[in-house]
Structures are given as C-alpha cells and as structure tokens.
Amino acid sequence: MGSLATVNELLAGSVGGAAQVLVGQPLDTVKTRAQIAPKGMFKGPMDIIMQTVRKEGFFALYKGMASPLLGIAGVNSLLFASYAAARRAVSPFGQLTLPQTALAGSMAGAANAILASPVEMFKVRMQGQYGEAGDKRLRAIASEMWKDWGFRRGVMRGYWVTVAREIPAYAGFYTAYEFSKRKFAAHYGERPLPVWALLASGSTGGIAYWLACYPLDVIKSRVQLRAVPPTGTPVQYIAAETRAILAEAGWKGLFKGLSPSLLRSIPAAASTFAAFELTREWLAGVTGV
C-alpha cells in the first residue's frame, strides 16, 4: 500500500509540475534575464517583456521551457515524494507542527536539488540568449556543456548553490502552504478543500518560497551562466559571486527580478498545488490509497 501511495505522489507531482511550467515560464524568463543581463540592457521587468517580444517574438518568453518541461516530471515527482517521505521521517504521528513542516520541507528541498540543478542550468543558459544569430538550441547547449566541462562542472554546475537555495525555499514554501490550508480548513471545515482555497494556499506558499531564498537564486543563475565553472569550494565561489554582485549593483543586485518572481509565484504555485492535490485525490479514489 505504501508503494502505491508513493506512485500516486509521483504521478500527481508530474501533473503539478507541468502546470507550473506552462503557467509560469514567461515571468520566469523575465526574472532570469533581470538577474543575468548586462548592466543597462533593460530598464526593468516591463522593458524586458517589451524588448523580448519586439526583437524575438512572443514565444521567446517561453525560451528555455523545454528543459524544465522535460525534466519537471522527475523534479516534481522527486520533490513531492521526498516531502512525503520527510514528513514520515520527522513524525509518524499524523499532522506535523509548523516547525516540523519546515524541517520536512527543507529535507525535501535538499533532495530536490539533485534533479533541479541540471534542469535549472540548461534553462538559465537558454534564457541568457537574446535572439542573436549564434543562439543555440537546447541539444547543442547540453552537448557543449558535457563535452567542454563534463558532468560535475558542466551538467551539474551550480549544484551546491542550488542546494543552498532549495533548503530555505521549500522550508518557507511548505510552512506557508500548510499554514494557509489549515486556516481554511479550520474556518470552513471542508474535506477536501475547495479549489479556490488550494489556489490561495499555493500562492501563499509560492510567495514565501521566493522571499526565503531570492538572493541565492540570483547567485545560482549567474554561476550557471558564466563561461567557465566556478573555482574553489562552494562557500568560496558563492561568496565570490556575492561580492561581484555587490560591487556591480550594491544590495539591490541581490534582488534583481524579485517582482516578476513574486508575480509568477501566484499563478504558478497556485496551479502546481491545485493540480497536485486534485490529481492525488482522483488517484486515491481510483486506487483506494
């Protein structure tokens, strides 16, 4: 029965992940370009949208979508299955407290980084192309990174900063998500919760996700886009990238692209967890688990 429940979590996670990518990719492109674009290239998020659409066409906002869409089944399946396992490891006695939820979320985030790191790396490198003649397709970028730098320094570039990002991000996400769900459940006493309550809870969690980790996301994107891999230990190269950002743009540089990230998180996280919860409920009805 436990293995079948895990399969349900994996399948529901895949559906939720696909919903997240399809809904959130345009603003994710805006967010990434705000983080990595040369100084002075864009005036702000709206200028990024206008220049991107004007120079590259509307579908350029979906640039880099192939990597997360192809990898999202694995990434979100791993995330949701890891969170379910972490919940059982933290406490086998039913509902977790919010601190226990934060711990389980951080454990799931650390596990999720295994697959999230290469998916993010390829996505960032696709989004870092601005419609020039020499722009490369995903297959060419993947082949180049593997050929030039290998698995650890190429495909998995930025792994440790991704781990550092995912731990507080998912601690914040799951805590806010569960808090919101419990407030709705206490007020309305409904099981299952209505779709709008799931959407609202997912949005709250998505906002908490970015507020908990955003500077680390900026650092991650820049590390993954650089022409050469970082040197030194993870602590050293994260510190070096932080100093470079501060020298270029001050503290504001660590929060470039935050507004489109927060705007993206509302529909993206809402659709992710509504799709996940509804799919899991449907599968539970079909399988009896």
Side-chain angles (χ1 to χ4, degrees), residues 66-256:
S67 175
L69 196 57
L70 290 172
I72 202 67
V75 171
N76 270 48
S77 293
L78 178 60
L79 172 64
F80 287 112
S82 297
Y83 180 62
R87 284 176 59 90
R88 291 191 291 269
V90 170
S91 175
F93 305 111
Q95 191 176 70
L96 274 60
T97 65
L98 290 179
Q100 288 174 327
T101 298
L103 176 59
S106 66
M107 293 165 64
N112 188 58
I114 296 170
L115 292 181
S117 181
V119 167
E120 286 276 312
M121 195 277 294
F122 293 130
K123 175 181 70 67
V124 166
R125 295 186 80 84
M126 286 292 293
Q127 291 170 328
Q129 301 181 125
Y130 301 98
E132 304 297 332
D135 283 2
K136 300 170 184 175
R137 294 183 178 275
L138 176 61
R139 180 183 298 180
I141 289 176
S143 175
E144 181 182 85
M145 293 300 288
W146 177 270
K147 179 181 176 182
D148 292 349
W149 304 107
F151 179 74
R152 184 176 66 85
R153 304 180 74 209
V155 175
M156 295 298 287
R157 181 181 300 181
Y159 170 71
W160 287 110
V161 69
T162 304
V163 173
R165 181 193 75 166
E166 299 287 80
I167 289 174
Y170 281 107
F173 177 89
Y174 278 110
T175 302
Y177 177 65
E178 289 292 338
F179 176 81
S180 298
K181 277 181 62 180
R182 292 175 192 182
K183 286 296 184 181
F184 283 124
H187 185 72
Y188 292 100
E190 296 184 22
R191 289 292 188 272
L193 288 175
V195 173
W196 70 264
L198 295 175
L199 291 170
S201 298
S203 298
T204 303
I207 292 170
Y209 175 102
W210 286 117
L211 292 177
C213 76
Y214 196 78
L216 287 166
D217 188 70
V218 177
I219 295 166
K220 175 199 69 66
S221 295
R222 287 171 55 109
V223 166
Q224 291 175 325
L225 189 69
R226 288 201 178 278
V228 297
T231 57
T233 67
V235 172
Q236 289 173 331
Y237 75 69
I238 290 172
E241 196 64 50
T242 303
R243 288 193 296 270
I245 294 169
L246 293 175
E248 292 171 16
W251 286 102
K252 290 182 179 179
L254 290 170
F255 295 91
K256 278 186 177 180

Side-chain angles (χ1 to χ4, degrees), residues 266-281:
I266 295 172
S271 59
T272 299
F273 278 81
F276 170 75
E277 295 279 6
L278 294 172
T279 303
R280 185 173 61 174
E281 288 173 14

